[in-house]
Amino acid sequence: MEAMTGGKFLQKFRLYETRSKFYLIGRDKSRTHWRVLKIDRMECTELGVEEDPTSYTENECQELLWRIHEGNRLTGGLKFVTKCYGIVGFVKFLGPYYMVVITRRRKVGTICGHEIYSIGKSEMIAIPSVIVWPNVAYSRDENRYKRLLCSVDLSKDFFFSYSYNIMRSLQKNITEKNTGQVVYETMFVWNEFLTRAIRNHLKNTSWTVALVHGFFKQSKLSVSGKDFWLTLIARRSRHFAGTRFLKRGVNEKGRVANDVETEQIVFEDTSDGIPSHMASVVQHRGSIPLIWFQETSRLNIRPDIILKPDVDYKATRLHFENLALRYGNPIIILNLIKTREKKPRESLLRAEFAKAIYYINKELTEDKRLKFLHMDLSKLSRRKGTNVLALLNKVASDVLDLTEFLHCEISTSAKSEDASSGERTVAKSRDDKSSSDQSECVAKLVPLLLQKGVLRTNCIDCLDRTNVAQFAYGLAALGRQLHALGLTEAPKIELHAPLADDLMDFYERMGDTLAIQYGGSAAHNKIFCEQRGQWKAATQSQEFLRTLQRYYNNAYTDHDKQDAINVFLGHFQPQQGKPALWKLDSDQHYNIGRQGTLKEEIARSFIKRSLSDGNILLENSLPVSNCDNGRNNTALLPMQQLDDIREPSDSAPDISICEPNTCSSMNYGTVPGRHSMSEERQSYLKRLGYPELHSSNFLDLDLLSSSGNSCDEEVFERSSLINSPMDEISVESSTSYSEQGHVDEGRDDTDLSRSSSQLSDVRDYSDRFANWVANGGMLCY
């Protein structure tokens, strides 16, 4: 499957230097195409690059180098510097430009005959000659910026290809013909900023490689005596990128934190290396698309969640519009956060997310409405006799009925051409002006079935529970992919099949990698460990150690890691006379050298780390304490201000609710009807803006309720998965009827659709109390 044998994609380079210039000699894999790039070393602050338009043979290139050596003999001649495999980019701090090059690479896989590489080693080389270096090149700040950039370890979890657009899914490569500089501007190319200067100057991408950050694994597996290749790719977005507590939710441009596209590609292993068919499926994970965040704390392992109200859900709308542009419709949301907590954290985000989906759907046509499923995975996993993976697999199967997947074949003419010549068609050039560069291989792939829409999965961090759900979806998809390729008779793989164990290893490794990148430790894989039958005590010890590791990194190392990411991505560009990055209060002030005055930046510093790319970069930002507390304000509100929305429970403390003239205390634990909402209660919540919704609008969830017997502490309302999100606020910390021994003998436990409005609640709430809950402030004056 060597698609590009003899192609003109520059893959290997040798760097030479004279006193005044660098000469980068690049050649293709077949050693028939040689090019020369000249870099000026006498310029201190500007980048001077010039591409020789001539295409040389190997002998001609050697003769050229000899002439350059002879012409510079008096100043030391031409010296060899290093061999390399592409330019990562150019960067400038306070002094000269530096060039970052790949000096060692590793082949990690092949797609459509195109080789995929990871970085083994990289090097940063100063461009100017030492005789013209300014003094600032040796300054303490300059060296600190260099160390900061080098702390982004390119040898971990970065991958690239010379001839295949690895930053895009297989379906996008087939259906969209964008090449050259356009693909560098996609959200998954992490060195877009570093390569921008040379790409804009040369108007091509011949000398640079586009780096994707995330996870890549490819391996040969077997089913029914037939071998096939399985490839799992995770692409992390460079937009709103960062670490766990410093990047949360969505910014005002609709970009979410921890935005990851996962692609699963399957093709048969053939003797000639040319498969007849390929199959691919894409899924997505990303932070809850509300404007919320958490302050890092060295004293609190679970910092409070803070929500910034967004009356019209503009940022949330933008996010889902972006998903629709990327993947089409339907957009299916699998929300795995908790519905019941003693101290509401996730559950209140869940209610607000449900409300956002409800209001967005009201303005969409039926075919474009968001489809959603709110599923408390933590609660389900604690139920005795409940197989969480089996439930998720059923959900995934229903999702795949809606989205389907990509199934394509290699055209017969292409196969015969390859068989006769031993190679695929050679692409002409990587230059943007070429019309047949990286699309040559995908032009031979004929789609038989296209994926429409995408499954979007999230938990609170989009790491642990999300990874379990993505495995279940991947397993359901793999069964259909293998069946479409003719490798299996049935489109389903059982959870205890050896192939399921192999796939679990793929997703477990991916989960660990993504969790380290975003959260600071490997993922919590309790459900995977239970599925494999591992010793429970060992699993608990491992989970505890990973919790400690994640806490330490979040509290002590993530700030420096975030600074390094901001420099690498170009979010912060140092300038003389401006404050250094490490002197700023927030990682969000990366634009200090590009727009706004220092006075404006100081004003912004009242707002701590969390919101990025437009959330707080406003011309007239004010300290939070000065924000108006009106109903439609955009101040940052702690989620705890909404605590009293939930229904009273046995675990809730006594709370005094004061009216203007009297103040009476009521014990929440003695209130009858605390297990559901009355019509008055529903009316109250509607006044606060919370709609009455079910937990899914595309899936019959009876299959989840009848999954097995619950343990005693989890008898709490099997129907919590299909109740209104507002119902779940009301029963946030309450116990169920069965816990109190008040089960109706005539009630059918499988009847999960009974409306909570049929139950009574003697509590009523005044408009004054509702206004206090909505707007904060003091109830008693």
Side-chain angles (χ1 to χ4, degrees):
M1 270 179 76
E2 284 298 321
M4 301 312 301
T5 302
K8 295 185 179 180
F9 295 93
L10 302 182
Q11 296 191 20
K12 294 186 177 182
F13 305 83
R14 293 177 69 87
L15 182 64
Y16 299 87
E17 67 173 352
T18 64
R19 188 174 182 179
S20 61
K21 281 185 173 60
F22 276 121
Y23 293 89
L24 187 63
I25 312 300
R27 66 170 177 85
D28 64 345
K29 190 173 183 178
S30 63
R31 306 177 69 94
T32 60
H33 182 69
W34 298 72
R35 300 293 299 273
V36 178
L37 182 71
K38 305 173 186 177
I39 305 172
D40 187 6
R41 301 190 65 199
M42 303 306 292
E43 177 58 55
C44 296
T45 58
E46 298 297 327
L47 180 63
V49 292
E50 179 184 355
E51 184 180 32
D52 190 333
T54 306
S55 180
Y56 297 93
T57 64
E58 185 172 3
N59 290 334
E60 290 172 343
C61 194
Q62 290 177 352
E63 183 179 348
L64 174 65
L65 292 176
W66 174 254
R67 292 201 304 267
I68 294 173
H69 174 70
E70 288 296 313
N72 291 271
R73 185 179 293 275
L74 294 178
T75 56
L78 184 70
K79 299 177 182 178
F80 173 74
V81 178
T82 184
K83 67 177 181 180
C84 55
Y85 298 94
I87 298 176
V88 172
F90 293 85
V91 64
K92 181 180 182 297
F93 305 119
L94 301 174
Y97 266 96
Y98 300 89
M99 177 171 60
V100 183
V101 294
I102 300 169
T103 56
R104 192 178 301 165
R105 68 182 183 184
R106 297 185 299 268
K107 181 180 175 181
V108 293
T110 302
I111 299 178
C112 292
H114 296 263
E115 296 170 336
I116 313 299
Y117 297 94
S118 66
I119 299 176
K121 187 178 180 182
S122 61
E123 187 174 345
M124 181 186 293
I125 301 171
I127 297 298
S129 175
V130 254
I131 61 174
V132 296
W133 275 24
N135 293 332
V136 73
Y138 303 99
S139 72
R140 180 180 300 177
D141 285 356
E142 179 78 4
N143 290 330
R144 186 166 179 177
Y145 280 122
K146 288 171 61 178
R147 289 194 300 270
L148 199 60
L149 184 70
C150 290
S151 68
V152 179
D153 191 352
L154 297 180
S155 65
K156 289 184 179 179
D157 311 326
F158 284 91
F159 49 94
F160 66 95
S161 175
Y162 299 104
S163 54
Y164 179 77
N165 290 329
I166 190 65
M167 72 290 296
R168 302 194 304 183
S169 66
L170 181 61
Q171 178 163 316
K172 279 189 175 294
N173 280 326
I174 293 175
T175 58
E176 299 178 9
K177 305 305 180 183
N178 293 331
T179 59
Q181 294 207 63
V182 175
V183 295
Y184 273 72
E185 296 166 4
T186 60
M187 61 191 300
F188 300 117
V189 177
W190 272 55
N191 61 333
E192 186 278 332
F193 167 73
L194 296 180
T195 60
R196 193 181 299 166
I198 184 173
R199 288 185 292 109
N200 289 342
H201 185 78
L202 300 181
K203 306 302 181 185
N204 68 55
T205 58
S206 297
W207 301 91
T208 59
V209 296
L211 296 184
V212 178
H213 185 42
F215 176 81
F216 185 97
K217 178 175 172 60
Q218 185 177 80
S219 183
K220 184 190 293 187
L221 301 178
S222 179
V223 60
S224 303
K226 300 175 183 178
D227 293 336
F228 68 93
W229 288 93
L230 174 65
T231 306
L232 187 63
I233 307 171
R235 305 175 179 95
R236 294 180 61 86
S237 171
R238 62 183 169 89
H239 300 304
F240 205 34
T243 54
R244 185 184 179 205
F245 286 140
L246 302 182
K247 288 290 183 284
R248 288 297 216 188
V250 65
N251 64 23
E252 290 185 354
K253 295 181 180 179
R255 307 294 189 179
V256 294
N258 200 23
D259 188 320
V260 182
E261 176 184 273
T262 303
E263 182 177 18
Q264 181 175 294
I265 303 175
V266 178
F267 55 88
E268 187 178 6
D269 182 49
T270 58
S271 57
D272 60 359
I274 306 173
S276 299
H277 296 261
M278 297 183 70
S280 166
V281 67
V282 171
Q283 54 181 318
H284 173 269
R285 71 168 75 179
S287 188
I288 299 171
L290 303 170
I291 302 177
W292 64 279
F293 62 96
Q294 292 173 280
E295 289 290 349
T296 54
S297 172
R298 296 183 181 181
L299 302 177
N300 186 0
I301 198 169
R302 301 180 69 192
D304 291 339
I305 291 174
I306 300 175
L307 176 70
K308 178 181 177 182
D310 187 4
V311 177
D312 296 323
Y313 299 107
K314 294 178 181 178
T316 308
R317 292 173 194 268
L318 284 174
H319 172 67
F320 286 115
E321 288 172 3
N322 178 266
L323 284 184
L325 287 174
R326 286 160 60 184
Y327 305 110
N329 288 301
I331 303 299
I332 303 173
I333 302 161
L334 177 56
N335 182 25
L336 303 174
I337 62 178
K338 297 176 182 177
T339 59
R340 173 192 180 196
E341 299 168 294
K342 290 184 179 179
K343 180 179 180 181
R345 298 172 70 256
E346 296 185 19
S347 53
L348 290 172
L349 277 179
R350 177 229 191 269
E352 187 70 11
F353 191 18
K355 177 185 174 185
I357 295 171
Y358 172 77
Y359 282 107
I360 291 173
N361 273 344
K362 286 198 302 184
E363 298 182 3
L364 297 176
T365 59
E366 186 174 353
D367 60 321
K368 295 182 179 180
R369 285 175 185 161
L370 305 174
K371 300 183 183 299
F372 58 88
L373 168 60
H374 299 287
M375 181 176 180
D376 188 342
L377 193 63
S378 295
K379 185 173 73 175
L380 285 172
S381 65
R382 294 193 301 270
R383 285 182 174 176
K384 291 181 180 179
T386 299
N387 189 326
V388 173
L389 289 176
L391 296 180
L392 289 170
N393 195 260
K394 292 178 181 179
V395 172
S397 181
D398 282 359
V399 171
L400 284 164
D401 288 341
L402 295 174
T403 64
E404 298 182 331
F405 58 94
L406 172 69
H407 176 207
C408 57
E409 67 175 357
I410 298 179
S411 63
T412 306
S413 59
K415 289 196 67 174
S416 60
E417 175 187 335
D418 289 335
S420 62
S421 63
E423 61 187 47
R424 291 179 182 266
T425 304
V426 174
K428 296 180 180 180
S429 170
R430 291 181 70 192
D431 192 292
D432 294 344
K433 299 178 182 178
S434 173
S435 60
S436 60
D437 52 3
Q438 297 186 18
S439 62
E440 282 295 327
C441 82
V442 297
K444 301 173 184 178
L445 297 175
V446 180
L448 304 177
L449 179 67
L450 291 174
Q451 178 175 342
K452 52 182 185 295
V454 73
L455 172 65
R456 183 200 194 278
T457 308
N458 73 267
C459 51
I460 197 70
D461 294 322
C462 302
L463 297 178
D464 310 317
R465 288 167 281 180
T466 294
N467 201 61
V468 173
Q470 288 207 322
F471 159 71
Y473 182 80
L475 183 63
L478 181 60
R480 301 192 184 203
Q481 288 175 309
L482 294 175
H483 182 67
L485 298 182
L487 299 179
T488 58
E489 295 182 358
K492 183 178 181 181
I493 300 173
E494 298 298 330
L495 275 171
H496 296 286
L499 193 56
D501 292 336
D502 293 333
L503 187 69
M504 185 182 295
D505 179 66
F506 270 70
Y507 276 86
E508 188 170 12
R509 291 192 183 188
M510 180 186 74
D512 288 342
T513 299
L514 297 179
I516 290 171
Q517 292 168 7
Y518 182 65
S521 77
H524 293 285
N525 296 315
K526 179 182 177 182
I527 294 177
F528 288 160
C529 294
E530 291 176 350
Q531 179 68 21
R532 286 192 293 260
Q534 292 181 220
W535 187 30
K536 188 174 182 179
T539 300
Q540 290 174 339
S541 299
Q542 174 183 279
E543 297 298 290
F544 176 70
L545 292 175
R546 289 182 176 181
T547 297
L548 291 181
Q549 182 183 11
R550 189 172 292 186
Y551 161 72
Y552 175 82
N553 282 292
N554 294 162
Y556 293 95
T557 68
D558 276 1
H559 287 74
D560 290 337
K561 187 176 178 181
Q562 185 69 60
D563 287 344
I565 291 173
N566 287 343
V567 170
F568 188 89
L569 296 176
H571 293 332
F572 180 88
Q573 299 177 36
Q575 286 190 11
Q576 292 284 359
K578 301 292 185 179
L581 177 61
W582 44 87
K583 294 181 181 179
L584 298 177
D585 181 71
S586 168
D587 72 275
Q588 309 312 324
H589 307 310
Y590 58 79
N591 71 331
I592 191 168
R594 296 183 293 174
Q595 63 180 23
T597 64
L598 179 59
K599 181 178 180 180
E600 291 169 341
E601 293 300 332
I602 293 174
R604 295 184 186 117
S605 68
F606 283 95
I607 301 179
K608 303 295 184 182
R609 295 171 182 257
S610 65
L611 310 175
S612 164
D613 292 341
N615 283 337
I616 63 174
L617 302 183
L618 306 174
E619 290 301 321
N620 296 310
S621 298
L622 296 174
V624 176
S625 59
N626 293 335
C627 293
D628 180 32
N629 287 327
R631 183 177 182 86
N632 295 326
N633 69 66
T634 57
L636 305 180
L637 301 177
M639 294 297 291
Q640 283 67 25
Q641 291 188 10
L642 302 176
D643 281 359
D644 288 295
I645 293 179
R646 68 185 188 281
E647 192 73 22
S649 71
D650 292 334
S651 61
D654 293 349
I655 297 179
S656 297
I657 303 177
C658 301
E659 293 296 336
N661 299 321
T662 62
C663 186
S664 60
S665 177
M666 180 175 293
N667 189 322
Y668 277 3
T670 62
V671 178
R674 63 184 177 276
H675 312 287
S676 59
M677 293 192 301
S678 66
E679 293 180 2
E680 292 84 356
R681 176 68 166 169
Q682 292 184 34
S683 175
Y684 155 71
L685 288 171
K686 287 181 180 178
R687 292 203 304 272
L688 294 181
Y690 287 91
E692 184 175 0
L693 292 175
H694 292 289
S695 285
S696 180
N697 63 353
F698 79 98
L699 185 63
D700 180 4
L701 296 186
D702 285 344
L703 59 92
L704 297 180
S705 64
S706 58
S707 59
N709 296 325
S710 306
C711 57
D712 291 341
E713 65 270 22
E714 288 302 329
V715 176
F716 165 80
E717 197 175 56
R718 285 184 183 178
S719 61
S720 63
L721 288 177
I722 63 170
N723 282 344
S724 145
M726 306 319 119
D727 295 350
E728 287 156 1
I729 295 177
S730 69
V731 295
E732 192 62 41
S733 302
S734 65
T735 54
S736 68
Y737 279 123
S738 59
E739 287 175 312
Q740 301 297 324
H742 299 307
V743 180
D744 185 356
E745 293 180 359
R747 179 187 175 189
D748 183 1
D749 279 347
T750 61
D751 180 11
L752 304 178
S753 59
R754 189 166 61 137
S755 171
S756 60
S757 63
Q758 295 173 351
L759 303 177
S760 62
D761 186 350
V762 300
R763 293 291 305 275
D764 196 2
Y765 297 87
S766 66
D767 290 338
R768 182 184 183 83
F769 179 75
N771 185 65
W772 172 72
V773 173
N775 300 322
M778 297 183 63
L779 184 61
C780 301
Y781 300 99

